[in-house]
């Protein structure tokens, strides 16, 4: 794993391809976030980088709303299945009910094309800063709700 800051990636969960929406993903093993891909070279690079994967998806095939619904840290590469040759398995770190609508974000047009290409390197510092800010906001809200404040 690299000793420098991790690189950031986006992953698009396509409900048409997967057969279910991004909020219907079930963690078969608690504490494991899984990204499926056929891009073996990219998967190996992400694992080598100790990358951060920002997961974006839609609730179902009819929904035109795109959600930032999960962040997976420090993934490793595992063998895939009959559909996707590789699984990146890491730690999901969003609060359980956390998500962010992306359609109205000023940068949405800059990421929309990449979303339909699976796992992609994210280099736009404005988008990364916004994702990080939303991530911190969701955790603050989650802590506040759990503490009853």
């Amino acid at each position: 794993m690299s000793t420098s800051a991790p690189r950031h990636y986006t992953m698009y969960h396509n409900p048409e391809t997967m057969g279910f929406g991004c909020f219907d993903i079930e963690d078969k093993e608690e504490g494991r976030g899984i990204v499926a891909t056929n891009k073996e070279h990219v998967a190996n690079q992400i694992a080598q980088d100790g990358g951060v994967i920002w997961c974006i998806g839609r609730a179902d095939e009819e929904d035109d709303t795109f959600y930032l619904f999960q962040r997976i840290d420090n993934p490793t590469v595992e063998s895939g299945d009959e559909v996707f040759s590789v699984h990146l398995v890491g730690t999901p770190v969003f609060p359980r009910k956390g998500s962010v609508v992306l359609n109205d974000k000023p940068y949405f047009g800059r990421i929309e094309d990449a979303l339909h290409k699976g796992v992609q390197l994210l280099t736009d510092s404005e988008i990364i800063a916004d994702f990080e800010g939303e991530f911190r906001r969701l955790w603050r809200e989650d802590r506040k709700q759990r503490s009853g404040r």
Side-chain angles (χ1 to χ4, degrees):
M1 180 172 17
S2 173
T3 56
S4 62
R7 293 187 355 167
H8 293 255
Y9 297 83
T10 59
M11 180 282 302
Y12 173 58
H13 177 88
N14 185 332
E16 287 89 359
T17 302
M18 300 304 292
F20 54 90
C22 65
F23 298 117
D24 299 323
I25 295 172
E26 295 181 24
D27 288 334
K28 302 253 186 280
E29 297 179 41
E30 190 65 30
R32 286 171 40 108
I34 300 173
V35 170
T37 185
N38 286 318
K39 298 179 178 181
E40 293 182 42
H41 177 72
V42 174
N44 288 327
Q45 185 64 53
I46 293 169
Q48 181 181 344
D49 289 345
V52 171
I53 304 172
W54 297 97
C55 301
I56 299 168
R58 292 181 296 132
D60 59 49
E61 295 175 19
E62 308 299 317
D63 188 3
D64 290 333
T65 304
F66 288 82
Y67 300 91
L68 178 63
F69 69 92
Q70 186 53 267
R71 173 180 153 165
I72 298 174
D73 287 1
N74 299 310
T76 59
V77 175
E78 294 186 6
S79 294
D81 53 38
E82 61 278 353
V83 179
F84 295 101
S85 60
V86 176
H87 288 169
L88 284 157
V89 181
T91 305
V93 294
F94 260 33
R96 278 208 176 282
K97 298 187 187 312
S99 68
V100 176
V101 174
L102 295 176
N103 295 57
D104 297 331
K105 296 288 186 177
Y107 54 75
F108 182 69
R110 296 197 315 261
I111 63 170
E112 190 173 19
D113 286 339
L115 295 180
H116 299 287
K117 297 175 183 164
V119 179
Q120 296 288 310
L121 178 64
L122 177 62
T123 59
D124 188 313
S125 60
E126 177 189 1
I127 296 170
I128 293 168
D130 187 72
F131 284 4
E132 291 283 357
E134 293 290 0
F135 172 68
R136 286 188 298 276
R137 180 187 62 78
L138 287 169
W139 268 109
R140 282 191 303 270
E141 288 176 7
D142 186 65
R143 266 192 302 237
K144 197 180 290 186
Q145 285 177 351
R146 285 192 279 151
S147 70
R149 292 187 209 172

